[in-house]
Amino acid sequence: MKLFSELGLRAELQTAIAEMGFENPTPIQEQTIPLLTESATDLVALAQTGTGKTAAFGLPLLNILDETRKAPQALILCPTRELCMQISKDLQAYASKMPGVKIVPVYGGAAISTQITQIKRGAHIIVATPGRLKDMIDRKALNLGEVDTVVLDEADEMLNMGFREDIDYILATTPKEKQTWLFSATMPPEVAAISRNYMDHPHEIAVGKKNSGATNIKHLYYMVSNHNRYSALKRIADYQPDIYGIIFCRTKIETQQVAENLIRDGYNADSLHGDLSQAQRDAVMRKFRSKHLQMLVATDVAARGIDVTDITHVVHYNLPEDIESYTHRSGRTARAGKHGISLAIVTPREVDKIRQIERKIGTQFVQTPVPTGIEVCEQQLLSLANKAHDVELNPDIEGYLSVILEKFEDLSKDEVIKHFLSLEFNRFLEYYRNAPDLNESARGAKPSGERASGVPMTRYFISVGELDGVDKSSMVRLLCDTTGIQNSKIGKIELRRSFSFFEVPEQFNHIVETKFEDITVNGRAIRIEKTEGGGGGGRWEKDRPAKSHFRENSGGGGGYRKSSGGEGGYRKPSGGDRNSSGGGGFKGKKKPW
Ligand code: AMP
C-alpha cells in the first residue's frame, strides 16, 4: 500500500488530507493521482461511491490548479444537489491549506442570483448539476471558454436522470482541447457512448469488477407475501436494534406511507422524496446525518448522492426497476472501507429478479428467514442488557441511591436486574406474543386445502422435527396414517429442528388428540399440543420450547405470559413519543416498543 507522500501531491494538499485523517490512498486514488497529476489525459474510471472517488479526481484537480488564473478552469458535473454540495465541501476541505482557491457549487433549488454573484467574484472550480448550469449558460452568466478539465461524476446516474442533452449542450461550450475525466459506478452502453464521443484514447481504470457492487456488502433477501412487506420490515428493524439505514421505496406515495407507519409505530424514521421542499429535505438529511433518525425512507432519485459513511443497512422495501439502481442503492452502505448489508424484501414472484441481479453483480444473495417473534425478543433483550451495562451513569442518581436501595432491599441482584429489564421488555414481548411466521416459500405459501376454503383450522405443536428425519411429505404421511384424516385436509406444516406445527380442520381435534396418545417415533413418545389462535397464527412462545434461557428467566409464575400486564402495547408507544426510551448510540433514542 502506498503513502500519500509518494503520489506527487503538493505539500498543502498533503497537510490538509493528513489533518482530515486520510492515512493511505484508496485503490482508486493510488491509480488516478499519479496519472492525472503527471500529464494531461482523458480518463474513464469505473468506481462505486464510497471508494474515495471524490478525492481521486479532486486531489489531482487541485494539484494542477493555477490560482493566478481568474476564469473557471475546472468543471465538475454531477447528478444531484446533494452530491454537488458534498463534492464542493470535500474539495473545500482538501484545499484548506490553499487560501484563495475558489470553489463554487451551482445547483437547482437555491437562488440563482446568489450563485451568479459568487461566480462573478471569481471561481477556479465550478461544481454543478447539469440543469442549473445550462440555465446559467443561457443567461450568459458564465463563460466556460477557459475550462481545461471537465469531470463527469456519476455519469451513469446523470444519464439515468435524463441529463444527456444538457451535458451535450454544456460540453459544447467548453474548449475542444480540454481533458475529460469520467467516473461511473456502472458502464451501460450510454456511458460508453459518452466516452467514445468526447474522449481521446482515455485511460481506463476499474476498481472492482465491471458493473459489480462493492465487495464488502453482504446481499440478503427475505421472502414474504406482498401484504407482509411492512411487517417484515418492522421485524427486521426490531431484530437489528442498532440499524442505521436507508429504506428504498419505488414511489413517493409508498415512501410516505412506509415512513408514516414507522413513525406511528414508534421508530425514528422520516421520508425523503421529490415532493419535499429543499428546506424540508435539508432538515431531514441533517437529522439523519446526526443520527437523530435511524431510518431514512427514500426514493431512488431523492437518495442519490447521499454520502453518510456509517450506514449499516440498505433495505430494498421494493426492488428497483433496474439493476443499475440496485447497485446505486446498495452503494450507500459499506462506504470508506466499512462493511454493510443490502437486504431486499421480495415476494416469491420476484425471486427471478434477485437471480438477475446476482448474475449482473457477480455476487450471490443469501436467502434469510424473517426472524420469528421470539428471535426478535431475544435479540432485543440482549441489546437492552448490553445498553444497560454500557450506559453512562448519571452522577445525580447518587443522591437518591440510599432511598432507592431501600426499596429493593428484599430483592436479590438477579431479581433487581429482571425488574429493570422487564420494565422495557414486557411491552415487546406482548407485541410479539402471537407473531405469525412471515416467511413464504418459493412456490408461494398459499394456504393449502381446507384452510384456503375458510374452514376453521386448529394448529398443533408436535414434538417431531427435522432432527428426527422428517420432511413435509413424511409428516403428512405420519399424520394421515395415525389419524386416518385425508391428506387433502391437512393444512400448513411448519418444520423446525426438533419439533413442528401442523394444521387440521377443527372438527378433527378430538381424533388428533386421542390418536396420538401412544405413538412413538424413534422410540420416543410423541407429544402434541394445541396452540392457541390457530389458523397459522402460531404462538411464539411455543416456537422454540427447547431454547432454555427464556424459560429459565421466566421463573415459576407464568413467565412471559405475565408480560401482558405490561405498559400498553407495542402499537401504542407512550403518547406516540418517538424519543422516550431505549436509545444506545442514537441521540433521538429509538422507541420501537
Ligand atoms: P467517495 O467515494 O468520494 O464518496 O468517498 C467516500 C468516503 O471516504 C468519504 O467520506 C471520504 O471522506 C472518505 N475517504 C476518501 N478517501 C479516503 C482515504 N484515502 N482515507 C480515508 N477516507 C477516505
Side-chain angles (χ1 to χ4, degrees):
M1 191 183 280
K2 288 208 169 154
L3 300 171
F4 272 113
S5 55
E6 297 171 76
L7 301 182
L9 288 173
R10 288 156 72 149
E12 305 98 297
L13 288 172
Q14 290 193 39
T15 314
I17 55 180
E19 279 182 13
M20 290 170 75
F22 291 12
E23 286 171 6
N24 298 98
T26 63
I28 189 162
Q29 292 162 3
E30 227 176 79
Q31 295 187 63
T32 58
I33 296 173
L35 176 75
L36 302 177
T37 47
E38 274 161 25
S39 56
T41 178
D42 285 343
L43 170 77
V44 173
L46 198 58
Q48 312 281 322
T49 54
T51 52
K53 65 181 171 61
T54 314
F57 62 75
L59 292 173
L61 207 55
L62 289 164
N63 207 57
I64 57 175
L65 194 91
D66 177 358
E67 290 105 310
T68 60
R69 281 169 55 191
K70 293 282 170 264
Q73 52 194 284
L75 167 67
I76 301 169
L77 286 177
C78 63
T80 62
R81 171 193 153 109
E82 276 74 25
L83 189 58
C84 178
M85 294 199 299
Q86 185 65 42
I87 295 172
S88 309
K89 207 172 99 229
D90 287 356
L91 293 194
Q92 239 25 295
Y94 309 147
S96 62
K97 307 290 178 219
M98 295 169 64
V101 171
K102 291 188 176 146
I103 300 156
V104 178
V106 170
Y107 49 80
I112 196 165
S113 53
T114 318
Q115 293 172 351
I116 292 176
T117 311
Q118 276 182 314
I119 289 175
K120 294 237 148 76
R121 283 200 204 117
H124 296 104
I125 302 178
I126 292 184
V127 187
T129 52
R132 171 56 64 94
L133 191 71
K134 179 173 178 290
D135 240 22
M136 277 208 179
I137 295 171
D138 286 343
R139 292 175 187 221
K140 307 217 176 335
L142 174 71
N143 177 8
L144 296 175
E146 291 189 36
V147 163
D148 40 34
T149 309
V150 171
V151 180
L152 302 172
D153 191 21
E154 302 209 350
D156 50 353
E157 278 300 304
M158 287 198 281
L159 296 180
N160 272 345
M161 292 172 75
F163 284 134
R164 173 72 206 235
E165 281 177 14
D166 290 350
I167 294 173
D168 285 343
Y169 184 91
I170 293 163
L171 291 181
T173 69
T174 59
K176 272 212 160 42
E177 55 283 4
K178 68 186 173 289
Q179 54 178 352
T180 305
W181 304 340
L182 178 149
F183 287 75
S184 193
T186 57
M187 195 52 66
E190 303 79 13
V191 176
I194 288 213
S195 87
R196 270 197 311 279
N197 295 345
Y198 292 109
M199 296 187 201
D200 180 21
H201 298 96
H203 273 269
E204 291 194 10
I205 290 180
V207 182
K209 283 183 255 160
K210 279 199 174 180
N211 290 331
S212 79
T215 48
N216 42 354
I217 301 177
K218 221 167 151 183
H219 300 265
L220 313 177
Y221 73 94
Y222 295 84
M223 196 151 48
V224 300
S225 64
N226 199 34
H227 68 269
N228 276 332
R229 248 182 237 279
Y230 180 69
S231 307
L233 173 65
K234 268 184 20 169
R235 209 62 85 82
I236 293 162
D238 287 343
Y239 190 68
Q240 317 273 354
D242 294 321
I243 190 171
Y244 177 46
I246 305 184
I247 322 291
F248 280 97
C249 296
R250 264 203 222 143
T251 62
K252 285 176 206 164
I253 291 177
E254 187 176 69
T255 305
Q256 256 168 330
Q257 273 168 355
V258 171
E260 275 167 21
N261 289 345
L262 286 171
I263 293 165
R264 182 203 62 202
D265 289 338
Y267 297 84
N268 290 323
D270 213 334
S271 59
L272 192 70
H273 55 76
D275 280 355
L276 300 181
S277 69
Q278 200 52 58
Q280 286 171 317
R281 288 160 61 104
D282 290 346
V284 171
M285 278 314 295
R286 258 198 312 279
K287 280 197 287 173
F288 187 55
R289 276 183 209 288
S290 61
K291 296 193 173 163
H292 284 87
L293 284 185
Q294 213 173 341
M295 285 186 273
L296 181 69
V297 190
T299 54
D300 289 86
V301 173
R304 274 178 191 139
I306 291 180
D307 174 29
V308 178
T309 33
D310 34 10
I311 286 172
T312 58
H313 290 74
V314 163
V315 178
H316 308 266
Y317 186 77
N318 258 306
L319 284 173
E321 297 289 344
D322 57 274
I323 297 175
E324 255 85 53
S325 299
Y326 179 86
T327 312
H328 277 285
R329 285 177 172 190
S330 25
R332 301 294 140 208
T333 183
R335 295 172 76 74
K338 304 206 167 153
H339 289 263
I341 291 178
S342 170
L343 62 90
I345 302 175
V346 300
T347 63
R349 284 161 157 237
E350 291 170 319
V351 174
D352 276 355
K353 288 191 186 168
I354 293 284
R355 303 289 165 246
Q356 283 174 33
I357 298 171
E358 281 180 335
R359 279 195 292 279
K360 192 86 177 193
I361 66 172
T363 307
Q364 286 217 321
F365 278 69
V366 179
Q367 184 180 355
T368 310
V370 181
T372 61
I374 195 163
E375 283 166 341
V376 171
C377 290
E378 281 175 7
Q379 200 71 4
Q380 287 283 347
L381 182 59
L382 295 178
S383 158
L384 183 59
N386 282 338
K387 282 175 187 159
H389 184 269
D390 298 340
V391 71
E392 202 178 313
L393 295 183
N394 183 334
D396 296 345
I397 293 177
E398 201 65 43
Y400 305 94
L401 206 57
S402 57
V403 184
I404 294 168
L405 285 177
E406 249 175 59
K407 287 198 185 297
F408 290 100
E409 252 172 16
D410 56 330
L411 300 180
S412 69
K413 174 183 160 194
D414 283 12
E415 285 167 333
V416 172
I417 292 175
K418 281 186 206 168
H419 275 253
F420 276 96
L421 290 181
S422 301
L423 263 186
E424 283 295 342
F425 197 51
N426 283 352
R427 276 180 291 163
F428 213 86
L429 283 168
E430 182 59 25
Y431 177 71
Y432 275 113
R433 175 179 299 283
N434 291 317
D437 178 5
L438 299 179
N439 293 291
E440 286 282 305
S441 72
R443 281 168 282 116
K446 291 267 168 290
S448 58
E450 296 297 312
R451 200 165 160 240
S453 60
V455 172
M457 305 290 277
T458 303
R459 184 168 181 263
Y460 281 94
F461 161 88
I462 179 165
S463 60
V464 176
E466 287 161 342
L467 288 178
D468 299 288
V470 295
D471 56 17
K472 284 196 177 167
S473 59
S474 56
M475 178 63 82
V476 172
R477 262 200 321 278
L478 171 71
L479 297 173
C480 297
D481 292 350
T482 308
T483 60
I485 299 171
Q486 284 172 9
N487 63 5
S488 63
K489 304 276 182 207
I490 308 282
K492 190 172 170 187
I493 288 179
E494 297 161 60
L495 294 176
R496 304 279 201 275
R497 276 168 68 74
S498 55
F499 57 94
S500 308
F501 298 98
F502 65 87
E503 288 178 348
V504 291
E506 244 177 18
Q507 68 196 88
F508 298 121
N509 288 3
H510 182 67
I511 300 178
V512 169
E513 284 157 29
T514 49
K515 293 280 185 186
F516 267 102
E517 265 169 12
D518 295 312
I519 302 294
T520 58
V521 163
N522 299 337
R524 204 153 49 79
I526 296 181
R527 190 165 60 86
I528 63 156
E529 227 177 290
K530 202 191 290 179
T531 70
E532 279 169 19
R539 290 169 56 200
W540 63 266
E541 67 265 47
K542 286 241 180 270
D543 269 10
R544 279 214 257 146
K547 190 88 179 181
S548 60
H549 75 260
F550 270 86
R551 285 271 161 118
E552 284 158 15
N553 285 349
S554 66
Y560 291 105
R561 284 169 217 193
K562 267 187 167 175
S563 63
S564 55
E567 322 249 272
Y570 174 66
R571 283 174 194 281
K572 285 184 190 149
S574 45
D577 174 11
R578 292 147 68 186
N579 299 321
S580 62
S581 80
F586 286 88
K587 294 185 185 136
K589 289 185 183 171
K590 186 181 173 208
K591 176 65 191 75
W593 29 303

